[in-house]
Amino acid sequence: MRIADLNERNFYEIEAIKNNWSLRELQRQYDTALYTRLALSKNKKEVISLGQKGQIIEKNKDLIKDPYILEFLGLPDKNFYSESDLEQKLIDKLEHFLLELGNGFTFVARQKRITFDERHFKVDLVFYNRILKCFVLIDLKIGELKHQDIGQMQMYVNYFDREVKLDDENKTIGIILCQDKSESVVRYTLPENNEQIFASKYLTVLPSEKDLIQIIENQ
């Protein structure tokens, strides 16, 4: 009741009922400014819809947050940790990570091996989204995103589309979670009509809403 903005308050009420959030889960979503993260990437009409209907997932981009808030991992900001450390923490806190990912996600595999031409590759995390009926691949990157990382994810997505997904399932989505990224590198590496591969930053500490808005607006 302390949320002054009516659209924002309605959004959290709808999402709490729809997702059966506990009070603790609701508090966490509010603290991580879920509404703000979603609203800042939408036009005025879509923001009003958030307050009326909650989060509606109709297309691939509706699944994506940027940034993702991973404060529940307990990893110190800017201190050294490896990609395998990050992956293990996400598995250990899988319930929390699923909550941060959003609606409809189910866990499929970690370090999923794919093989062709006698070469082996491993996808860090594989999920399935029941709403969009598609696989969601997540690759974890420490440091700044490189164009080679995007090319690697494109290969994973192509493989799943051609060898794993069923005919009645939709195209695979790939999400690269990185500490930092250049929007220009992402834009010029991916095709203009890209709807499958997304690069999002992750934060390991909880920012203030003001800082979060600045982070998103600077992207």
Side-chain angles (χ1 to χ4, degrees):
M1 296 298 293
R2 70 175 187 267
I3 301 176
D5 184 275
L6 183 59
N7 281 328
E8 184 176 7
R9 186 170 69 190
N10 288 343
F11 168 81
Y12 284 113
E13 289 174 351
I14 292 168
E15 290 297 312
I17 294 170
K18 186 165 59 177
N19 296 293
N20 196 29
W21 286 343
S22 66
L23 178 60
R24 185 174 182 178
E25 289 166 343
L26 172 59
Q27 184 67 52
R28 190 258 166 187
Q29 294 289 16
Y30 176 72
D31 288 344
T32 62
L34 175 61
Y35 176 82
T36 303
R37 285 187 282 160
L38 295 175
L40 284 173
S41 63
K42 298 181 181 297
N43 58 40
K44 185 175 180 180
K45 184 178 179 181
E46 291 172 329
V47 170
I48 293 173
S49 179
L50 277 178
Q52 294 173 339
K53 302 176 182 178
Q55 185 180 13
I56 304 299
I57 297 175
E58 296 177 333
K59 54 186 182 296
N60 292 359
K61 195 170 183 180
D62 295 334
L63 288 179
I64 308 302
K65 297 186 181 79
D66 191 12
Y68 286 83
I69 310 296
L70 308 180
E71 91 295 342
F72 53 86
L73 299 180
L75 289 171
D77 189 32
K78 303 298 183 183
N79 284 23
F80 177 79
Y81 51 86
S82 67
E83 290 170 3
S84 60
D85 291 337
L86 178 60
E87 179 187 320
Q88 185 60 55
K89 288 282 189 179
L90 289 173
I91 293 299
D92 292 343
K93 299 283 188 177
L94 186 57
E95 182 179 356
H96 295 79
F97 188 43
L98 287 170
L99 184 64
E100 174 62 13
L101 287 176
N103 297 332
F105 280 91
T106 58
F107 177 66
V108 177
R110 67 180 296 194
Q111 292 296 305
K112 174 66 176 177
R113 190 172 77 171
I114 59 179
T115 302
F116 51 85
D117 293 341
E118 298 181 354
R119 297 183 64 189
H120 304 299
F121 305 89
K122 291 182 179 180
V123 185
D124 289 338
L125 299 168
V126 180
F127 294 85
Y128 190 84
N129 189 272
R130 296 178 295 110
I131 299 173
L132 290 184
K133 294 182 172 58
C134 67
F135 286 100
V136 179
L137 314 180
I138 295 181
D139 221 13
L140 307 171
K141 297 299 176 185
I142 301 297
E144 186 175 6
L145 181 71
K146 300 178 176 62
H147 71 274
Q148 297 96 323
D149 301 326
I150 300 174
Q152 178 178 267
M153 178 57 80
Q154 182 71 71
M155 180 181 69
Y156 293 161
V157 165
N158 289 344
Y159 181 89
F160 265 73
D161 278 350
R162 298 169 191 176
E163 306 294 338
V164 180
K165 86 174 186 70
L166 302 177
D167 291 339
D168 61 344
E169 292 177 325
N170 293 311
K171 289 186 175 181
T172 304
I173 297 173
I175 303 174
I176 308 169
L177 286 183
C178 54
Q179 286 179 307
D180 195 14
K181 64 175 178 174
S182 162
E183 290 295 338
S184 295
V185 169
V186 175
R187 183 168 66 253
Y188 291 122
T189 304
L190 293 170
E192 290 185 354
N193 60 348
N194 167 64
E195 294 183 349
Q196 288 185 263
I197 297 176
F198 303 90
S200 293
K201 292 174 67 174
Y202 68 85
L203 304 176
T204 58
V205 296
L206 189 64
S208 67
E209 186 167 341
K210 180 181 178 181
D211 290 341
L212 183 61
I213 291 173
Q214 185 175 2
I215 290 168
I216 296 173
E217 288 179 343
N218 288 340
Q219 293 189 37

